[in-house]
């Protein structure tokens, strides 16, 4: 049996990297004062149809949708924003005096995409959503947080690309201009784009098949259709970024794959050599209107999400080794039945005192136990044989120096505690 295509097992050796990254991201969220939310892994299909948008590739082609035994249509979440907004409305978080509501989440997402490096059918997103503020400063905060997720881990080859999709009025004007522009070329576009042209012409700009069509280059730019309010909003976001010293490039063709965006939209790319074909590390933007779309009160929102898989790929591409300590505090090398039994209870005491310890469970010879201790990078080997047992002592060997100390059994816990505090 094999795991389904586009999924992966994370084994020891790799899970430590995930834990390290996850801890860093949680720590960072705390600094920006975002609190964790956990929502279900499946939701009513309608949530994504309405939230992500009926015309998106995600909803049309990529959802894992099934009917449960109660004849309900459910979908494994393809992204986190719709669920977070649903939870915000359902749990009336908008009623809390602390606004905006700043949330972060971690968890597996599911999309039926063609798997390749960096594109999985199950992948883990970390994301944040700030609901309840239309201050450009919060856009800048989310962008800064997104960049910091990579910078704090030491990544350098990053490119922040931003755009403004404007408010409803700007978008409608741009939409009409796009339809007029592409309509004469409709027959030359792919079948998806022919449908997109009616449903959501902005998505035509993002088409991989038609990207080299000459009409793409001359397509009307959203930036020329922003009304004064939208222009000013975008300017303020950029000013905040400038003040914080965060570099960015504006790309009028940056179109996100989800329907809910307006005003600020952004992606972070890796430009590290050897990063593979998919260079987008994360993406996000503002989604004023989504809360109302999901039956909540008028509430502006902005957020972003990254996948941990692509973050780890970027670390690898830049040759960054995470400082993961894979060592073990103590390893028991015991000889004989009695000593082995005593080791079990001593280990229990050591573990209760917060010390990490393991022993051989395969009846290995003494020498092989030492080899195992070496392999496991044990800092101390505690030697216990019948002879030591009779004298009420153990021999503690510090692996780094080879130095051996005789310790009374009833002093073992405090001895190891002192050693670990002192020398390590
Ligand atoms: P998205 O651009 O669809 O946006 O996904 C965000 C990130 O998830 C991508 O930049 C990428 O790192 C990762 N990702 C997406 N699909 C895959 C995949 N198949 N395999 C591996 N990684 C993947 C959203 O999901 C929005 N909810 C982001 C957002 C939050 N906007 C506002 N708030």
């Amino acid at each position: 049996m094999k795991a389904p295509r586009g999924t992966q097992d994370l084994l020891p050796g790799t899970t430590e990297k995930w834990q390290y990254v996850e801890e860093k991201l949680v720590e960072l969220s705390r600094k920006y004062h975002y609190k964790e939310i956990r929502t279900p892994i499946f939701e009513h299909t309608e949530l994504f149809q309405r939230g992500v948008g009926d015309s998106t590739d995600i909803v049309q082609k990529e959802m894992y949708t099934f009917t449960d035994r109660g004849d309900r249509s459910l979908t494994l979440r393809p992204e986190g924003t719709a669920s977070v907004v649903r939870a915000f409305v359902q749990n009336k978080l908008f009623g809390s005096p602390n606004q905006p509501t700043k949330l972060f989440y971690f968890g597996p997402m599911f999309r039926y995409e063609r798997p390749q490096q960096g594109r999985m059918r199950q992948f883990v997103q970390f994301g944040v959503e700030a609901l309840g503020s239309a201050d450009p400063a919060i856009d800048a905060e989310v962008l800064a947080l997104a960049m910091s997720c990579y910078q704090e881990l030491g990544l350098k080859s990053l490119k922040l690309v931003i755009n403004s999709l404007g408010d409803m009025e700007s978008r409608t004007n741009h939409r009409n201009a796009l339809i007029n522009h592409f309509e004469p070329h409709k027959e030359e576009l792919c079948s998806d784009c022919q449908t997109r042209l009616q449903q959501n012409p902005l998505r035509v700009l993002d088409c991989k098949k038609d990207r080299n069509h000459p009409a793409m280059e001359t397509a009307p730019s959203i930036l020329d259709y922003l009304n004064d309010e939208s222009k000013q909003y975008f300017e303020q976001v950029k000013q905040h970024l400038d003040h914080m010293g965060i570099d960015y490039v504006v790309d009028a063709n940056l179109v996100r794959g989800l329907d809910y965006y307006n005003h600020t939209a952004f992606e972070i790319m890796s430009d590290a050599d050897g990063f593979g074909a998919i260079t987008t590390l994360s993406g996000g933007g503002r989604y004023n209107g989504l809360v109302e779309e999901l039956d909540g009160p008028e509430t502006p929102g902005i957020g972003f999400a990254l996948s941990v898989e692509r973050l780890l790929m970027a670390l690898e591409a830049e040759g960054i080794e995470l400082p993961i300590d894979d060592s073990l505090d103590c390893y028991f090398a015991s000889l004989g039945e009695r000593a082995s039994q005593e080791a079990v209870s001593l280990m229990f005491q050591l573990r209760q005192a917060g010390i990490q310890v393991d022993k051989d469970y395969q009846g290995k010879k003494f020498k092989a136990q030492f080899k195992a201790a070496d392999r496991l990078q044990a800092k101390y080997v505690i030697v216990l044989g019948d002879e030591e047992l009779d004298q009420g002592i153990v021999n503690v060997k510090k692996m780094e120096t080879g130095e051996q100390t005789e310790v009374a059994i009833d002093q073992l816990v405090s001895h190891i505690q002192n050693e670990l505090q002192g020398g390590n």
Side-chain angles (χ1 to χ4, degrees):
M1 292 286 279
K2 284 193 173 154
R5 218 162 107 73
T7 70
Q8 64 178 338
D9 299 312
L10 299 175
L11 304 178
T14 302
T15 44
E16 289 79 3
K17 290 186 189 163
W18 280 70
Q19 287 163 358
Y20 182 89
V21 166
E22 286 169 7
E23 274 167 32
K24 274 274 173 204
L25 297 178
V26 170
E27 206 180 281
L28 196 61
S29 307
R30 229 173 257 137
K31 286 190 212 161
Y32 280 77
H33 199 215
Y34 285 69
K35 303 229 165 136
E36 187 175 8
I37 182 166
R38 299 187 188 191
T39 62
I41 282 179
F42 58 85
E43 297 269 4
H44 292 291
T45 303
E46 192 194 344
L47 172 67
F48 303 114
Q49 288 167 336
R50 277 167 59 187
V52 174
D54 260 333
S55 70
T56 58
D57 281 357
I58 294 182
V59 170
Q60 288 196 344
K61 304 181 190 165
E62 296 171 0
M63 295 209 298
Y64 280 91
T65 297
F66 60 98
T67 308
D68 77 357
R69 286 166 197 270
D71 231 15
R72 299 170 196 92
S73 178
L74 299 172
T75 293
L76 300 183
R77 60 183 183 192
E79 59 107 47
T81 311
S83 304
V84 170
V85 170
R86 197 253 325 122
F88 174 82
V89 174
Q90 185 178 340
N91 297 285
K92 299 192 173 52
L93 300 186
F94 49 81
S96 151
N98 301 325
Q99 300 296 342
T101 302
K102 305 208 295 185
L103 303 166
F104 78 85
Y105 52 90
F106 249 115
M109 307 290 161
F110 306 85
R111 295 186 195 176
Y112 190 77
E113 293 195 83
R114 203 164 40 79
Q116 65 181 85
Q117 208 202 8
R119 196 196 284 142
M120 310 285 296
R121 289 185 172 166
Q122 174 176 333
F123 56 98
V124 173
Q125 270 189 354
F126 162 78
V128 309
E129 313 293 348
L131 292 141
S133 169
D135 183 341
I138 200 108
D139 300 48
E141 174 178 288
V142 168
L143 283 152
L145 168 54
M147 283 302 278
S148 299
C149 290
Y150 302 106
Q151 288 163 336
E152 294 251 327
L153 289 164
L155 287 163
K156 295 208 166 55
S157 302
L158 300 165
K159 193 166 96 177
L160 170 62
V161 183
I162 62 171
N163 190 18
S164 172
L165 304 175
D167 62 5
M168 196 51 110
E169 183 189 58
S170 315
R171 287 187 58 154
T172 308
N173 291 340
H174 182 233
R175 183 193 148 91
N176 293 339
L178 283 172
I179 295 177
N180 290 340
H181 176 79
F182 282 115
E183 201 55 58
H185 305 284
K186 192 171 171 183
E187 301 306 316
E188 301 146 28
L189 300 175
C190 75
S191 61
D192 278 348
C193 280
Q194 294 183 6
T195 322
R196 283 177 189 138
L197 197 51
Q198 291 316 315
Q199 291 182 336
N200 186 357
L202 202 62
R203 302 273 311 128
V204 173
L205 299 176
D206 203 25
C207 178
K208 307 223 162 32
K209 284 192 206 134
D210 290 330
R211 67 152 72 107
N212 294 323
H213 190 286
M216 288 288 180
E217 255 184 45
T218 51
S221 158
I222 178 67
L223 296 179
D224 296 330
Y225 286 81
L226 295 182
N227 59 16
D228 286 347
E229 225 179 300
S230 304
K231 240 184 235 165
Q232 202 191 350
Y233 195 92
F234 193 37
E235 281 311 309
Q236 284 177 307
V237 174
K238 288 191 287 183
Q239 272 169 20
H240 281 300
L241 293 176
D242 293 338
H243 276 147
M244 287 190 280
I246 296 176
D247 289 336
Y248 57 87
V249 287
V250 175
D251 179 354
N253 283 329
L254 177 80
V255 178
R256 306 270 302 124
L258 304 94
D259 274 355
Y260 45 62
Y261 292 112
N262 41 59
H263 289 289
T264 315
F266 71 95
E267 287 186 353
I268 298 174
M269 327 272 186
S270 165
D271 45 25
D273 289 342
F275 186 75
I278 298 175
T279 55
T280 305
L281 295 177
S282 56
R286 183 160 275 287
Y287 46 81
N288 301 349
L290 181 59
V291 179
E292 294 96 296
E293 175 62 41
L294 298 176
D295 305 330
E298 196 179 326
T299 312
I302 179 161
F304 91 98
L306 61 80
S307 75
V308 178
E309 287 82 358
R310 290 191 196 170
L311 193 163
L312 289 168
M313 275 168 59
L315 289 169
E316 202 164 305
E318 292 198 32
I320 294 171
E321 287 281 335
L322 298 175
I324 290 164
D325 180 4
D326 204 23
S327 64
L328 177 67
D329 292 338
C330 303
Y331 191 85
F332 257 91
S334 56
L335 207 61
E337 188 67 20
R338 271 200 312 136
S340 204
Q341 264 176 22
E342 181 65 16
V344 171
S345 95
L346 285 172
M347 286 208 300
F348 187 57
Q349 289 173 34
L350 286 161
R351 287 166 177 164
Q352 281 182 320
I355 295 159
Q356 200 194 12
V357 52
D358 208 351
K359 79 184 273 296
D360 165 63
Y361 289 105
Q362 292 181 304
K364 282 201 185 109
K365 298 238 160 53
F366 206 52
K367 211 169 149 189
Q369 292 187 44
F370 260 93
K371 265 202 188 139
D374 238 359
R375 237 187 355 258
L376 298 171
Q377 301 176 53
K379 292 177 191 142
Y380 296 90
V381 176
I382 304 170
V383 182
L384 184 60
D386 284 346
E387 209 175 295
E388 283 89 356
L389 204 53
D390 289 339
Q391 295 174 43
I393 55 144
V394 289
N395 261 302
V396 177
K397 180 172 178 185
K398 185 171 184 171
M399 297 298 272
E400 198 185 348
T401 57
E403 179 192 339
Q404 289 215 32
T405 319
E406 226 176 68
V407 180
I409 284 185
D410 57 5
Q411 299 295 309
L412 179 63
V413 173
S414 57
H415 176 82
I416 299 286
Q417 271 174 331
N418 283 341
E419 282 286 323
L420 288 170
Q421 270 160 22
N424 295 283

